């Protein structure tokens, strides 16, 4: 199968590209720069020049493929509304190129967007229509019009070597402040998955997924944030402390909102439907590895 992958040179996208190629698929990767194109060629993928905002490039890339995996997103939390709108337009464009032809389209979303009604967010929980990111609504609208669109929800922590997301940001804050902190009692939980396990699930959804279905890429259902802070404290050899909710905004900045959420999630239905089994290290085991702290001073902060 020839698969068009957006975000193909990102932290998750590179793992998806490797997973697909190792399984015998051909990959057409979206590249907006010469450096991105070079890395795709080195990985054994074909290059399709364009960007998330270049709708013509998305349309032609999807039309040239037997399936599409959409992992790209503009992760600028200070400008989230326009980023979410760009994602919605991209999804609609990809879907328009696939309408009536049958190729699968895998859209990326997040477990935080699910409206949890039980102890764990599940695949059956609907997405929150009031949230600015409209990925799932766009995907479901496509599915209702005959496009084989499905949704893969990622947890807030997708970890592994090369991570530049939430965990490195927390490490950077702990370095700067001299303490590794959690909020309140630190019993609120974060679900997590290793990026290689997530990449494997993308392939399974591509090959066996059902149109209109949601899948959860969750290995750790909910790691208490106090345990995350403790692992960071060990890695940096700094004290571990609690911050009140009033203190959290000043200590953590924009990430305080996310780090204070209790958002456990399950992947039981995904595992049953697709036979997916996470096999990589869990979040705490990964944090205990040296790679998260080897270049801690070089951590790139996410845009707040």
């Amino acid at each position: 199968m020839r698969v068009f992958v957006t975000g193909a040179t990102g932290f998750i996208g590179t793992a998806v590209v490797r997973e697909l190629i190792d399984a015998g698929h051909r990959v057409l990767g979206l590249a907006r720069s010469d450096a991105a194109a070079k890395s795709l060629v080195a990985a054994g993928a074909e290059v399709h020049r364009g960007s998330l905002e270049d709708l013509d490039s998305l349309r032609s890339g999807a039309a040239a493929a037997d399936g599409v995996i959409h992992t790209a997103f503009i992760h600028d939390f200070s400008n989230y509304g326009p980023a979410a709108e760009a994602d919605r337009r991209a999804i609609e464009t990809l879907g328009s190129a696939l309408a009536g032809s049958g190729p699968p389209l895998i859209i990326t979303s997040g477990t935080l967007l699910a409206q949890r009604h039980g102890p764990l967010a599940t695949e059956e929980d609907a997405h929150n229509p009031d949230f600015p990111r409209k990925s799932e609504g766009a995907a479901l609208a496509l599915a209702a019009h005959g496009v084989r669109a499905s949704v893969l929800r990622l947890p807030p922590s997708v970890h592994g070597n090369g991570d530049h997301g939430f965990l490195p940001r927390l490490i950077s804050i702990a370095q700067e402040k001299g303490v590794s902190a959690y909020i309140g009692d630190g019993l609120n939980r974060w679900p997590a998955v290793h990026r290689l396990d997530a990449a494997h699930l993308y392939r399974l959804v591509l090959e066996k997924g059902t149109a209109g279905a949601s899948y959860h890429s969750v290995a750790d259902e909910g790691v208490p944030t106090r345990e995350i802070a403790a692992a960071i404290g060990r890695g940096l050899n700094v004290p571990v402390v609690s911050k009140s909710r009033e203190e959290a905004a000043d200590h953590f900045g924009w990430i305080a909102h996310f780090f204070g959420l209790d958002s456990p999630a399950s992947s039981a239905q995904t595992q049953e439907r697709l036979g997916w089994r996470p096999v990589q290290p869990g979040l705490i085991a990964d944090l205990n590895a040296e790679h998260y702290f080897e270049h801690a001073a070089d951590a790139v902060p996410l845009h707040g």
Side-chain angles (χ1 to χ4, degrees):
M1 184 183 297
R2 192 182 194 213
V3 186
F4 180 46
V5 180
T6 72
T9 58
F11 175 61
I12 296 170
T14 53
V16 171
V17 168
R18 175 50 49 202
E19 171 75 24
L20 292 172
I21 291 175
D22 287 349
H25 295 290
R26 295 165 57 202
V27 171
L28 180 65
L30 184 67
R32 64 181 302 162
S33 68
D34 291 341
K38 185 177 179 179
S39 68
L40 284 170
V41 171
E46 301 172 59
V47 175
H48 184 78
R49 295 302 293 259
S51 69
L52 199 60
E53 298 93 341
D54 182 351
L55 301 185
D56 286 339
S57 72
L58 296 181
R59 190 176 293 108
S60 61
D66 304 308
V68 177
I69 294 178
H70 176 52
T71 70
F73 190 80
I74 302 169
H75 292 282
D76 185 350
F77 288 95
S78 65
N79 208 25
Y80 198 78
E85 177 60 18
D87 182 57
R88 184 192 64 78
R89 289 196 302 267
I91 292 169
E92 291 180 349
T93 300
L94 292 168
S96 69
L98 301 176
S101 56
L105 169 62
I106 316 305
I107 298 302
T108 303
S109 183
T111 60
L112 289 180
L113 275 63
Q115 292 183 305
R116 176 162 59 101
H117 298 292
L120 299 169
T122 74
E123 296 86 342
E124 299 300 320
D125 290 326
H127 68 286
N128 184 349
D130 297 325
F131 197 79
R133 186 169 178 175
K134 306 298 183 183
S135 310
E136 296 195 26
L140 294 176
L142 291 172
H145 288 87
V147 178
R148 287 179 56 197
S150 53
V151 172
L152 191 151
R153 290 173 177 164
L154 295 171
S157 278
V158 180
H159 56 88
N161 202 351
D163 183 3
H164 52 265
F166 283 120
L167 293 181
R169 182 61 184 144
L170 290 170
I171 291 169
S172 178
I173 291 169
Q175 276 191 309
E176 177 188 344
K177 304 288 187 178
V179 297
S180 180
Y182 54 89
I183 301 172
D185 59 13
L187 296 180
N188 60 299
R189 297 153 293 174
W190 263 19
V193 69
H194 194 283
R195 72 170 185 146
L196 298 183
D197 284 325
H200 182 53
L201 181 56
Y202 272 103
R203 177 169 68 83
L204 292 179
V205 176
L206 177 81
E207 295 172 346
K208 303 192 292 184
T210 302
S214 295
Y215 299 93
H216 278 194
S217 185
V218 173
D220 290 310
E221 290 186 341
V223 181
T225 55
R226 183 165 62 185
E227 293 184 17
I228 297 173
I232 293 172
R234 289 192 299 271
L236 295 177
N237 194 27
V238 298
V240 179
V241 301
S242 170
K243 295 289 181 180
S244 69
R245 294 205 171 269
E246 292 73 24
E247 297 170 320
D250 180 63
H251 182 86
F252 290 106
W254 65 268
I255 203 175
H257 170 72
F258 296 97
F259 200 46
L261 293 175
D262 185 47
S263 55
S266 167
S267 62
Q269 293 179 34
T270 296
Q271 295 192 42
E272 180 180 353
R273 293 173 188 168
L274 299 181
W276 177 65
R277 299 290 182 271
V279 298
Q280 300 296 326
L283 185 147
I284 297 300
D286 209 10
L287 265 178
N288 287 336
E290 293 183 357
H291 66 83
Y292 264 105
F293 302 97
E294 286 175 341
H295 306 289
D298 300 327
V300 178
L302 296 176
H303 297 289

